[in-house]
Amino acid sequence: MSGEEIDGVHVLVDSLVGQGIEYMFGVVGIPIVEVAVAAQQAGIKYIGMRNEQAACYAAQAIGYLTGKPGACLVVSGPGLLHTIGGLANAQNNCWPVLVIGGSSDEDQEGLGAFQECPQVESCRLYCKYTARPPRIDTVPYHVSKAIKCTTYGRPGAAYLDFPGNLLASTVNEKQIVHLPRCPTPPKSLASPDTVSEAVALLAHAQRPLVVVGKGAAYACAEKQVKNFIEKTGLPFLPTPMGKGVVPDDHPQCISPARSRALLEADVILLLGARLNWILHFGRPPRFAPDVKFIHVDVCAEEFHNSVTGSVTLLGDLKLVCGQLQEAVPGSVLAPHSPWRSRLGEKAQANMSINAEMAQDTSIPLNYYAVFHHLQQLLPSDCIIVSEGANTMDIGRTLLLNKHARHRLDAGTFGTMGVGLGFAIAAALWARDHAPGKRIVCVEGDSAFGFSGMELETIYRYKLPIIIIIVNNNGKNAVSTGGLDEELFNDIRDGMDAAIATPPNSLLPNAHYERMASVFNDTGYFCKSIPELQASVTKALKEEHKPSLINVMINPMAQRKQQEFDWLTRSKL
């Protein structure tokens, strides 16, 4: 047989290129460093990260933003195991990602090889597809199938395992059959009968509500959802990453009256939203006992998971929304209907409370003042990445989104540490698809600590991300954050620090902004609103470099009193 010899590395890379992989994130070493080099030579953009978990977060965020999985390249043993949190997050969020792991040589298995680990088995719980190609000539098939599994049906994660000896061995290139690029996922319409049932149920509802989920954003259905909302006059609520599918400042958005809307609605249309903990499972006391659900989803297994739906519409969300819009004869709910008026009054009352707290600019600052004034400065089309407890929850209320897929946060799995990886992915996407769009990463000080060294990655690639750390000296997961410096020192005075330091406290007044100096830059330290305004204004002008802003707030700052603790508790 005539033909050139080709090694496993280049068969793998050629297969990735053939399947349309554009971005690869990873931490290289034995036995996959050659894969990263070959990927760059083939035109795949490779971003070297500082931690495999953050690399997996970045790869899945690219998958969410583009609809095509990002690749995450990691070494054997510990390197692969570090990605497990990322795989689980992608699987729970329903975001496409492909993890490629190097592994020990096959002829050393069971002998205690370097970093020997049951990698395929370890990933299987958190993936839609896992495989170790048995021969070089089977690599194209497994790459194609992995890509298909990450994007078809409910999107998710896939893992492919490559022993070092497989990557290094060679075959005649004529033995390699490269498969055509996996077609985009097929799209289907819902049954016309179920569409008619849904429209009839909405038409007879007294207190109808639409919940716009992350699935609507992933489906790129913003035009269809907005048209349906406006034609029907229905009030709507976005889930955290459903924000922006219809602009947050739309007159039919009643997010400030979220608790009342969910509690009193009699018919709820779920557009790509799941009845999991984020929506309190659709059960009382958060919902009315007799509420009826109309559920639109691409995955039939999602129907009837927590409560039995009244109508289920299986199909592509963009197409199904088009069906609903065509089937609705006109407005379902007038702007001044009792239900819309009731929700509007509650929304106005809650916004007044927020506004009062936002106007309190006394030092130390509170969350509401910081986010209110930050909102006034940020471009309306910026992508907001957010994580932390109160930082994320309060920020979701006050930092508005006007475009779909422009908010990335801890998501369904409630994962801390995603922020900088997500921001890196968003910045790369913006550079290639929306030049000039700003990425603003709003982090709690505790959340920043999970992946803070990815700051070096951001500076290395000159990604113009604005990182804002809302610093309350601690972890704000239970009641309060940390302590002020005086009380912190008083509590620990003369005692073993491991005994006396409160579990939710971090070092008071940590100057995280000084990390910028490591990269020959100057960060910003803010304790007042004028300092915040000046820092953000200057950062926005610096369009070709990162910015790091550390905003000190009151360690005792809290959310306003909540009727229901929607996103931090899941008790029935």
Side-chain angles (χ1 to χ4, degrees), residues 69-153:
C72 177
L73 182 67
V74 297
V75 300
S76 54
L80 181 278
L81 293 178
H82 288 168
T83 69
I84 294 291
L87 285 169
N89 189 71
Q91 194 74 340
N92 275 271
N93 259 355
C94 306
W95 287 1
V97 67
L98 171 61
V99 173
I100 299 166
S103 60
S104 307
D105 289 0
E106 292 170 292
D107 60 356
Q108 297 176 4
E109 283 189 358
L111 299 176
F114 176 66
Q115 295 185 334
E116 183 176 352
C117 177
Q119 296 179 185
V120 175
E121 294 87 343
S122 298
C123 293
R124 188 162 286 135
L125 284 174
Y126 308 101
C127 291
K128 292 181 68 179
Y129 181 71
T130 59
R132 172 190 282 186
R135 302 184 312 274
I136 293 178
D137 62 312
T138 65
V139 169
Y141 167 78
H142 286 286
V143 170
S144 175
K145 184 167 183 178
I147 298 297
K148 182 183 73 172
C149 288
T150 64
T151 54
Y152 277 42

Side-chain angles (χ1 to χ4, degrees), residues 225-569:
V225 174
K226 184 172 183 286
N227 289 344
F228 173 76
I229 291 288
E230 292 181 341
K231 181 177 181 179
T232 60
L234 294 172
F236 75 92
L237 283 173
T239 63
M241 277 190 277
K243 283 165 58 69
V245 172
V246 183
D248 284 342
D249 59 359
H250 193 281
Q252 289 166 242
C253 180
I254 41 84
S255 289
R258 177 187 177 97
S259 295
R260 175 163 294 179
L262 294 176
L263 178 61
E264 298 184 6
D266 59 354
V267 174
I268 298 178
L269 171 62
L270 300 168
L271 297 179
R274 293 176 282 175
L275 289 177
N276 54 23
W277 68 276
I278 291 178
L279 289 175
H280 272 272
F281 318 109
R283 300 178 183 176
R286 305 327 194 207
F287 292 78
D290 57 350
V291 62
K292 294 179 173 60
F293 289 102
I294 303 168
H295 202 164
V296 181
D297 206 283
V298 72
C299 180
E301 288 82 357
E302 194 56 50
F303 299 145
H304 316 304
N305 265 355
S306 177
V307 297
T308 301
S310 297
V311 183
T312 57
L313 293 87
L314 177 65
D316 175 76
L317 199 139
K318 181 188 292 188
L319 298 180
V320 174
C321 278
Q323 288 180 281
L324 288 170
Q325 182 188 349
E326 290 179 7
V328 171
S331 177
V332 173
L333 204 64
H336 302 294
S337 67
W339 174 233
R340 284 276 299 272
S341 298
R342 179 170 169 76
L343 292 177
E345 291 169 2
K346 181 62 175 177
Q348 191 58 51
N350 285 340
M351 286 191 293
S352 296
I353 296 173
N354 290 347
E356 183 177 349
M357 298 176 73
Q359 295 306 316
D360 178 8
T361 59
S362 59
I363 299 174
L365 297 169
N366 68 72
Y367 286 102
Y368 292 83
V370 170
F371 290 132
H372 170 75
H373 290 89
L374 184 58
Q375 170 64 32
Q376 294 178 331
L377 297 168
L378 295 182
S380 62
D381 67 341
C382 69
I383 294 178
I384 299 173
V385 181
S386 185
E387 63 173 334
N390 282 349
T391 297
M392 182 175 66
D393 292 347
I394 300 172
R396 184 188 71 252
T397 301
L398 298 180
L399 299 179
L400 304 184
N401 291 100
K402 294 190 175 184
H403 303 277
R405 299 170 298 283
H406 277 52
R407 178 181 168 88
L408 307 173
D409 67 21
T412 306
F413 210 36
T415 307
M416 291 296 108
V418 298
L420 296 192
F422 283 2
I424 288 168
L428 290 168
W429 175 85
R431 183 195 65 187
D432 295 341
H433 299 279
K437 186 179 292 293
R438 301 311 304 266
I439 314 301
V440 181
C441 185
V442 184
E443 300 268 302
D445 51 329
S446 174
F448 176 74
F450 281 85
S451 56
M453 275 313 298
E454 297 302 338
L455 187 64
E456 186 273 334
T457 307
I458 292 170
Y459 273 94
R460 188 176 357 129
Y461 290 96
K462 299 180 180 179
L463 301 174
I465 300 167
I466 300 173
I467 303 166
I468 301 172
I469 302 171
V470 182
N471 189 347
N472 71 340
N473 299 340
K475 306 173 181 68
N476 211 346
V478 183
S479 55
T480 60
L483 303 170
D484 64 39
E485 192 166 13
E486 183 178 358
L487 184 55
F488 182 83
N489 291 330
D490 286 346
I491 290 175
R492 306 195 329 160
D493 186 29
M495 296 184 65
D496 183 337
I499 298 296
T501 305
N504 60 328
S505 291
L506 299 174
L507 185 69
N509 301 324
H511 281 265
Y512 297 109
E513 80 286 349
R514 293 178 182 170
M515 292 177 67
S517 66
V518 177
F519 313 111
N520 298 316
D521 195 11
T522 302
Y524 304 95
F525 184 71
C526 307
K527 298 180 74 173
S528 68
I529 292 302
E531 290 172 342
L532 173 67
Q533 292 170 324
S535 299
V536 174
T537 299
K538 187 173 181 181
L540 287 169
K541 292 178 180 178
E542 297 173 330
E543 299 179 356
H544 304 292
K545 61 177 287 295
S547 297
L548 181 59
I549 302 172
N550 184 20
V551 184
M552 298 304 305
I553 67 167
N554 189 338
M556 306 302 290
Q558 281 293 299
R559 302 171 66 184
K560 70 179 180 65
Q561 186 64 40
Q562 301 293 299
E563 184 177 358
F564 293 119
D565 217 354
W566 288 103
L567 294 185
T568 54
R569 299 182 64 82

